[in-house]
Amino acid sequence: MNIHHRNLRRVVIIGGGFGGLEAAKALRKASVRITLLDRQNHHLFQPLLYQVASAALSPADIAEPLRHILRHQENAEVILSEAQSIDVANKRVLTADGPVEYDYLIVAAGARHSYFGRDEWEKFAPGLKSLDDALEIRRRMLMAFEVAEKTQDDAEREAAMTFVVVGGGPTGVEMAGAVAEIAHVTLIKDFRHIDSSQARVFLIESGPEILQAFSGDLPVRGLKQLTSLGVEVRLNKKVEAISETGVTLTGGEIIASKTIVWAAGNAASPLGASLGVPLDRQGRVIVQEDCSIPGHPEVFVIGDQAHFATGEGRALPGLSPVAMQQGRHVAKNIAALLRGESTARFEYFDKGIMATIGRHAAVAEMGSLRLSGFVAWLAWLFIHIIFLVGFRNRFAVLFNWAYAYVTFGRGARIITRRHSGSGGVAEPPKQ
Amino acid sequence: MNIHHRNLRRVVIIGGGFGGLEAAKALRKASVRITLLDRQNHHLFQPLLYQVASAALSPADIAEPLRHILRHQENAEVILSEAQSIDVANKRVLTADGPVEYDYLIVAAGARHSYFGRDEWEKFAPGLKSLDDALEIRRRMLMAFEVAEKTQDDAEREAAMTFVVVGGGPTGVEMAGAVAEIAHVTLIKDFRHIDSSQARVFLIESGPEILQAFSGDLPVRGLKQLTSLGVEVRLNKKVEAISETGVTLTGGEIIASKTIVWAAGNAASPLGASLGVPLDRQGRVIVQEDCSIPGHPEVFVIGDQAHFATGEGRALPGLSPVAMQQGRHVAKNIAALLRGESTARFEYFDKGIMATIGRHAAVAEMGSLRLSGFVAWLAWLFIHIIFLVGFRNRFAVLFNWAYAYVTFGRGARIITRRHSGSGGVAEPPKQ
């Protein structure tokens, strides 16, 4: 079958992330027409995004064009467009390029970072969800050292050499560890007027511990590993204010900083609201046992955008294994519906969680198995390479890592910016 | 010695390209303080820039941070800033960050593309000099195919699938060949509603032949190789007008195109004008036999920014070997002046020229030796890998090429743009 057989039922998938892509692949043998909608042209391996932000990897190392991934799957097409809302009554998705009609819909638009209603903070403290986010954070970080090297003003130099990461989850911990490593090791010989090892890196966590998703002593071990990298961790501190001059914490502490990264809090894609069904506090769509929504057995919501209840008011976490398993599951459910059969309940198989801390430490938890330190880092490396989409990427990433590991180098310390016009001097970030 | 010995003479180098960087390296043993000024943080291996524009390589593959290259050279510092003008009377360079004083000055700010007074064409037809240029061209090229896949309008589809490269020099030929290869080979399976092999690629040359820098039958052979890739070459055609809808040629031919690349004509950096000495028609500083300027033995101009007369009103071409040899030569001249000796005349050792055409053809000329086809391509590959700065880059590039060569793939087909805000859909280029 291929995309041009108009008589086939049409499955529209919104989002080419882990969930949406798995769903599309799992439907490759189904006699349907699949339309994958995404506002980016690539699938992004988000777990390694902090490596792009910290200049260890290039965008192409962790991203693969969606068309390329699906090029041999004749029943699938990719449309680069942003879904604006969903009209469940008329079974169509409204996009910037007009309506797209569906017989079955899989909503997998993911989540963005949430500023808890303080969206004005975003320009001072960008989050880390897209390649553009990562390149912007990389640019700010590298420019901060350039400003520090140039300035005659002690206060400006100190602010330029102070980095703040907000949020003590895996992303925040990974980012803080990487920044500390860059400042204290990678750049050590690059400057003449500053000592990059004097740079300060702060991690702000509102809770009593970092890496709260981990159990046992892993949060404590993670904290030890992170502080041993020189990261100054502030626990039980909320961010009161963020401005171009820095961050103000509960209790009044002010950290003057030019480079702030936001890794706290997620909000599901606003697209879910247009479904007209209950959402949770993070804006996630509360789905039924088969991942469909109430009253619309033909509409499924998966991944970071879905609230799949696990009892005690809890929901499955926003992890790629959850999204991928749900993607495959709803594909099966759609196939069942096509056969006139009923759908099945989704069961999550917990593969565990891990977070890396700097260049040779990590924490990992798989069932009752808890690892930390170098062994956990190796496990982390192995699993992430295995799951990285695309042969080329796997090798390019392995090569870049091996190189960075041996040399402490960061191969991608290149500052670029679009529309440089005459290629003029890269200014410090407009803030 | 190191940069903090204030009693040492100060050598300021403007531009971290081939010429400026070679000069800095050649002065590593001289008892001077070297300040390398550049508006970018990286040295760019420009001969491979078209590979970034055509999505075969990532920016980090062909660029290396200047600080990193010079990190072990204690008598050198790097300042990321744009030189605005030169005050030869008071021996200082005026920059965005204030004046920088020098005892000796090496001006190596290079060239930009020239629109022959029609600068309004730049937004429709960007040139290819910086990484930002290359990423913008890549984005426009990839977006054009996305637009073609989506549109219902035949005229819009045709314009989106038509690519125009202006200028039949090596850069234009290399870019046109790469675009043809992408359309006719790489993307062949990626789309469902268009046949990318139907894309048309035009190369516009105002002269009677392409690759005019080459002698004998090489221009003709290059033309054959290029047309065999499906590129439609227009000779003896000037560009009369460029707009968002396309290009108008002398004789009235109108080519409707959404993606136009400018590879015609160079203009030296305007910085040269502030030296107050004669310039040639391209704005290059007409230098003396030792590469210094009249009346100022302490000021040298090299590379694309210099007009070094070779007799019959001709000047040395804007090639990296010229810039690198001049860089080393003026370093020697400065060392001589420091010893109270006189400077020496610059002699260019011609290593030859080459241009690649698609993935397995090229033309190369070394003295009386003329190569074309696959042999020339191998020579081109070998020489470019050898001269590529940085161990890591060499391996990364070799790997990416080997992969692209075997698979016809283009690993870096990733569309990114800064400040995507909510990561919204990438629009077609604003024109």
Side-chain angles (χ1 to χ4, degrees):
Chain A
M1 76 235 59
N2 83 37
I3 201 66
H4 299 292
H5 292 136
R6 296 295 173 209
N7 55 324
L8 292 173
R9 297 304 196 83
R10 188 170 190 185
V11 178
V12 172
I13 303 171
I14 303 175
F18 288 107
L21 191 55
E22 278 300 303
K25 287 177 175 174
L27 285 165
R28 68 188 168 286
K29 291 198 166 61
S31 44
V32 292
R33 295 186 293 129
I34 302 165
T35 298
L36 178 59
L37 275 178
D38 200 291
R39 57 191 179 186
Q40 302 281 5
N41 82 320
H42 50 269
H43 170 73
L44 176 64
F45 193 75
Q46 252 186 18
L48 294 183
L49 196 53
Y50 81 97
Q51 296 260 17
V52 173
S54 58
L57 296 178
S58 290
D61 294 336
I62 63 162
E64 193 80 359
L66 288 165
R67 309 192 164 285
H68 186 69
I69 298 170
L70 295 174
R71 68 194 182 284
H72 297 305
Q73 188 172 329
E74 293 222 319
N75 70 340
E77 69 171 337
V78 174
I79 297 180
L80 180 62
S81 189
E82 179 159 36
Q84 292 165 328
S85 71
I86 298 160
D87 174 1
V88 286
N90 300 301
K91 292 189 176 180
R92 49 190 212 154
V93 178
L94 305 180
T95 80
D97 303 284
V100 178
E101 302 191 336
Y102 63 81
D103 298 297
Y104 300 96
L105 178 66
I106 301 172
V107 186
R112 287 287 297 171
H113 30 272
S114 156
Y115 290 84
F116 309 121
R118 304 297 298 273
D119 293 352
E120 67 274 18
W121 290 354
E122 179 158 22
K123 63 177 183 296
F124 307 123
L128 190 59
K129 287 281 183 193
S130 72
L131 282 174
D132 295 301
D133 296 337
L135 291 173
E136 173 63 13
I137 289 170
R138 174 197 293 186
R139 195 179 67 84
R140 292 188 183 201
M141 176 186 69
L142 296 173
M143 283 308 304
F145 284 106
E146 297 295 338
V147 169
E149 173 82 348
K150 274 192 292 191
T151 185
Q152 309 300 325
D153 177 326
D154 294 350
E156 185 184 24
R157 185 182 308 109
E158 198 173 318
M161 289 181 68
T162 301
F163 301 84
V164 178
V165 178
V166 183
T171 303
V173 168
E174 286 166 342
M175 192 65 208
V179 173
E181 192 182 295
I182 289 166
H184 301 154
V185 184
T186 308
L187 298 178
I188 206 80
K189 283 203 147 302
D190 281 13
F191 297 93
R192 298 291 178 262
H193 304 288
I194 59 170
D195 173 358
S196 68
S197 68
Q198 297 304 304
R200 300 181 70 184
V201 181
F202 292 88
L203 181 71
I204 313 301
E205 166 57 41
S206 59
E209 58 182 20
I210 63 171
L211 300 171
Q212 291 173 42
F214 294 80
S215 65
D217 61 349
L218 287 182
V220 177
R221 292 206 215 164
L223 179 61
K224 258 207 213 84
Q225 294 168 7
L226 195 59
T227 46
S228 73
L229 290 176
V231 175
E232 304 173 49
V233 179
R234 297 278 190 272
L235 297 174
N236 297 305
K237 295 287 184 187
K238 282 201 175 58
V239 169
E240 293 282 325
I242 300 181
S243 75
E244 61 187 281
T245 60
V247 181
T248 307
L249 306 183
T250 46
E253 181 182 9
I254 295 175
I255 304 173
S257 170
K258 267 193 175 314
T259 316
I260 306 163
V261 177
W262 186 264
N266 281 337
S269 160
L271 205 56
S274 65
L275 292 169
V277 294
L279 309 176
D280 70 5
R281 272 178 42 253
Q282 296 174 41
R284 294 180 297 185
V285 176
I286 299 169
V287 295
Q288 306 186 105
E289 292 192 329
D290 64 353
C291 295
S292 70
I293 62 171
H296 288 282
E298 75 282 6
V299 178
F300 300 87
V301 184
I302 62 174
D304 290 3
Q305 198 173 10
H307 175 115
F308 188 93
T310 57
E312 312 102 45
R314 290 231 205 73
L316 288 176
L319 299 170
S320 55
V322 175
M324 293 169 89
Q325 292 177 34
Q326 287 179 331
R328 289 189 289 267
H329 185 79
V330 297
K332 282 204 198 80
N333 279 348
I334 288 172
L337 291 172
L338 286 167
R339 292 190 304 268
E341 300 167 9
S342 62
T343 59
R345 184 191 197 289
F346 172 69
E347 304 277 359
Y348 174 52
F349 171 63
D350 186 349
K351 291 211 179 100
I353 50 177
M354 42 189 20
T356 176
I357 302 159
R359 65 189 290 270
H360 46 44
V363 291
E365 182 168 9
M366 303 145 198
S368 61
L369 175 65
R370 298 200 190 101
L371 301 173
S372 77
F374 189 62
V375 182
W377 185 82
L378 285 180
W380 174 89
L381 182 67
F382 178 74
I383 285 170
H384 282 74
I385 290 295
I386 292 300
F387 282 97
L388 187 58
V389 176
F391 161 92
R392 175 191 168 283
N393 303 33
R394 239 170 262 167
F395 277 75
V397 168
L398 255 187
F399 171 79
N400 288 333
W401 267 347
Y403 181 78
Y405 191 85
V406 173
T407 63
F408 285 88
R410 297 256 167 192
R413 295 204 305 286
I414 306 302
I415 300 171
T416 58
R417 41 175 215 154
R418 277 205 36 244
H419 295 127
S420 64
S422 67
V425 57
E427 301 100 2
K430 299 267 179 304
Q431 288 186 332
Chain B
M1 76 236 51
N2 80 39
I3 201 66
H4 299 291
H5 291 137
R6 294 294 170 209
N7 56 325
L8 292 173
R9 296 304 195 83
R10 188 171 190 185
V11 178
V12 173
I13 303 171
I14 303 174
F18 288 107
L21 192 55
E22 278 300 303
K25 287 176 174 174
L27 285 166
R28 68 189 169 286
K29 291 199 167 63
S31 45
V32 292
R33 295 185 294 128
I34 302 164
T35 297
L36 178 58
L37 276 177
D38 201 293
R39 57 191 180 184
Q40 302 282 5
N41 82 320
H42 51 268
H43 170 73
L44 177 63
F45 193 75
Q46 250 186 21
L48 294 183
L49 196 52
Y50 81 97
Q51 295 260 16
V52 173
S54 57
L57 296 177
S58 290
D61 294 337
I62 64 162
E64 193 81 359
L66 288 165
R67 310 193 164 284
H68 186 69
I69 297 170
L70 296 173
R71 68 194 181 283
H72 296 307
Q73 188 171 329
E74 292 222 318
N75 70 341
E77 69 172 337
V78 175
I79 297 180
L80 180 62
S81 190
E82 178 160 35
Q84 292 164 330
S85 72
I86 298 160
D87 174 2
V88 287
N90 300 301
K91 293 190 176 179
R92 47 188 213 156
V93 178
L94 306 180
T95 79
D97 301 285
V100 179
E101 303 193 334
Y102 64 80
D103 298 298
Y104 300 96
L105 178 65
I106 301 172
V107 186
R112 285 288 297 172
H113 31 271
S114 156
Y115 290 85
F116 309 121
R118 304 296 299 271
D119 293 352
E120 69 274 20
W121 289 353
E122 178 158 22
K123 63 178 184 294
F124 308 122
L128 191 58
K129 288 281 183 195
S130 72
L131 283 174
D132 295 302
D133 295 338
L135 292 173
E136 173 63 11
I137 289 170
R138 174 197 293 186
R139 195 180 67 83
R140 292 188 182 200
M141 177 185 68
L142 295 174
M143 282 308 304
F145 284 104
E146 297 294 338
V147 169
E149 172 82 346
K150 276 192 290 192
T151 185
Q152 309 301 325
D153 176 328
D154 294 350
E156 185 184 26
R157 186 181 310 109
E158 198 174 317
M161 289 181 69
T162 302
F163 301 84
V164 178
V165 178
V166 183
T171 303
V173 168
E174 286 165 343
M175 193 65 208
V179 174
E181 193 181 294
I182 289 166
H184 301 153
V185 184
T186 308
L187 298 178
I188 205 82
K189 284 203 147 304
D190 282 11
F191 297 92
R192 298 292 178 260
H193 304 288
I194 59 171
D195 173 359
S196 70
S197 69
Q198 297 304 304
R200 301 181 70 184
V201 182
F202 292 88
L203 182 71
I204 313 302
E205 167 57 42
S206 60
E209 58 183 20
I210 63 170
L211 299 171
Q212 293 174 40
F214 294 79
S215 65
D217 60 351
L218 288 182
V220 177
R221 291 207 215 162
L223 180 61
K224 257 207 214 83
Q225 293 168 9
L226 195 58
T227 46
S228 73
L229 289 176
V231 176
E232 304 174 48
V233 179
R234 296 278 191 271
L235 297 174
N236 298 306
K237 295 288 183 185
K238 281 203 176 56
V239 169
E240 294 281 320
I242 299 180
S243 75
E244 61 188 279
T245 60
V247 181
T248 307
L249 306 182
T250 47
E253 182 181 10
I254 295 175
I255 303 172
S257 171
K258 267 191 173 316
T259 315
I260 306 162
V261 178
W262 186 263
N266 281 336
S269 160
L271 205 56
S274 65
L275 291 168
V277 294
L279 309 177
D280 70 6
R281 272 177 44 251
Q282 296 174 41
R284 292 180 297 184
V285 176
I286 298 169
V287 296
Q288 307 186 106
E289 292 191 329
D290 64 354
C291 296
S292 69
I293 62 171
H296 288 282
E298 75 283 6
V299 178
F300 300 87
V301 184
I302 62 174
D304 290 3
Q305 199 174 10
H307 174 114
F308 188 94
T310 58
E312 310 103 46
R314 291 232 204 71
L316 288 177
L319 299 170
S320 56
V322 175
M324 293 169 89
Q325 291 176 35
Q326 287 179 330
R328 288 190 289 268
H329 184 78
V330 297
K332 283 205 199 80
N333 279 347
I334 288 172
L337 292 172
L338 287 167
R339 292 190 305 267
E341 301 167 7
S342 62
T343 59
R345 183 189 199 290
F346 172 68
E347 304 277 358
Y348 174 53
F349 172 63
D350 186 349
K351 290 214 180 94
I353 50 177
M354 41 190 20
T356 176
I357 302 158
R359 65 190 290 269
H360 47 43
V363 291
E365 182 167 10
M366 303 147 195
S368 61
L369 175 65
R370 298 199 190 101
L371 301 173
S372 76
F374 189 63
V375 182
W377 184 82
L378 285 179
W380 174 89
L381 181 68
F382 178 75
I383 285 170
H384 282 74
I385 289 294
I386 292 299
F387 282 97
L388 188 56
V389 175
F391 161 92
R392 174 191 168 282
N393 304 34
R394 240 170 261 167
F395 277 73
V397 168
L398 256 187
F399 171 79
N400 288 333
W401 267 346
Y403 181 78
Y405 191 84
V406 173
T407 63
F408 284 90
R410 298 253 166 195
R413 295 205 305 283
I414 305 302
I415 299 171
T416 57
R417 43 177 215 154
R418 280 205 33 246
H419 296 128
S420 64
S422 67
V425 57
E427 301 97 3
K430 298 266 177 302
Q431 290 186 332

